[in-house]
Amino acid sequence: MALCLSFSMANAQISTGQNSSKVIRTGNRAQAGDFGLYIGATTDMFKKITDGNTKVEALPLINFKYMGTDKLEFRVGLEWWRSSETAESKGGDSNTTEKSYMLYPGVAYHVNNQNLLDVYFGAELPVGFGGKSEKYGDEKESASEFKIGLGAFVGLQAYIANLPLALGVEYGVSALNHSASDGIITRDGLTIRDDIDSKKFKLGQQVRLTLSYYFNL
């Protein structure tokens, strides 16, 4: 026993080591320097999908986010969709096709410091272009448009899975100016270019269901 005790003490004397600790973030909120990817499905998209006469191809709103501070977030979003609606009539079927490509640069301010729930509000500058075409028999009319406007939103998200994920909802309102141009009419095999110069101002609102993934480079 004495021999074993002496051996253990000697072994303890010659063994060296350094304490180490690992910090695991559990239940944390996004902080300054964090990046995030956000996917948002909008109510406008759901309306088109549930219409039986409309076929929709869409890329949900994807935001790339960066936390400049613990409360200030910078974001830029991308959204694309294309819809095709067919209507039947006695004179023949008609088809209406619409498409839209949009960018959403914006900024958000996070109000509270709670780890579980996160409330924020912000503003964005939607800008993009799109087009619309209508076909009836052998006749087809189409036009392209440029869109720019201003939007505001408020959101709530809950952090899950020990932060990298957050599930939430956003409500936003926007004002968009649509400027149509480059009209083309095809009739009886002939193509006629029609210079269109029209502007429409639209107010809209939508709800987004959001899923965000946070990471740090």
Side-chain angles (χ1 to χ4, degrees):
M1 292 177 62
L3 182 62
C4 292
L5 181 60
S6 299
F7 178 78
S8 299
M9 292 178 62
N11 211 29
Q13 290 174 357
I14 63 175
S15 296
T16 60
Q18 295 180 352
N19 294 330
S20 62
S21 62
K22 184 178 181 181
V23 178
I24 302 177
R25 295 172 64 182
T26 57
N28 279 4
R29 57 186 288 114
Q31 299 176 355
D34 288 344
F35 294 88
L37 285 176
Y38 153 129
I39 298 177
T42 65
T43 49
D44 290 346
M45 186 180 299
F46 288 132
K47 288 178 181 178
K48 292 182 179 294
I49 292 176
T50 54
D51 188 345
N53 295 325
T54 303
K55 295 181 179 180
V56 178
E57 301 173 14
L59 176 70
L61 177 62
I62 297 179
N63 264 322
F64 179 74
K65 306 194 290 187
Y66 174 72
M67 298 297 297
T69 69
D70 287 351
K71 291 190 174 184
L72 188 61
E73 168 197 316
F74 301 96
R75 56 166 64 182
V76 58
L78 171 67
E79 183 182 44
W80 169 84
W81 59 264
R82 179 179 180 274
S83 67
S84 178
E85 181 180 2
T86 301
E88 298 180 357
S89 64
K90 294 181 179 180
D93 295 347
S94 62
N95 179 269
T96 301
T97 301
E98 294 184 71
K99 57 184 178 180
S100 177
Y101 305 87
M102 296 294 295
L103 280 176
Y104 293 88
V107 63
Y109 182 79
H110 296 254
V111 177
N112 64 341
N113 290 319
Q114 295 181 11
N115 283 346
L116 179 60
L117 293 178
D118 181 25
V119 180
Y120 58 92
F121 63 91
E124 57 191 9
L125 180 67
V127 58
F129 63 93
K132 182 177 181 179
S133 64
E134 297 182 358
K135 184 178 181 181
Y136 183 79
D138 295 331
E139 184 173 320
K140 181 179 179 181
E141 296 184 14
S142 62
S144 60
E145 63 178 4
F146 174 75
K147 297 179 282 188
I148 188 170
L150 183 65
F153 57 88
V154 59
L156 170 67
Q157 64 180 359
Y159 293 106
I160 58 177
N162 294 335
L163 187 78
L165 297 176
L167 185 65
V169 61
E170 281 184 6
Y171 171 75
V173 294
S174 62
L176 274 178
N177 183 44
H178 298 245
S179 300
S181 61
D182 297 333
I184 297 176
I185 301 175
T186 303
R187 184 182 297 121
D188 298 329
L190 298 176
T191 299
I192 305 170
R193 183 171 296 276
D194 184 17
D195 293 331
I196 300 175
D197 186 15
S198 66
K199 294 183 178 181
K200 294 184 294 183
F201 189 76
K202 291 184 179 180
L203 294 174
Q205 59 180 343
Q206 61 179 223
V207 177
R208 301 169 180 165
L209 300 178
T210 67
L211 178 64
S212 298
Y213 173 79
Y214 289 94
F215 58 97
N216 203 307
L217 298 179

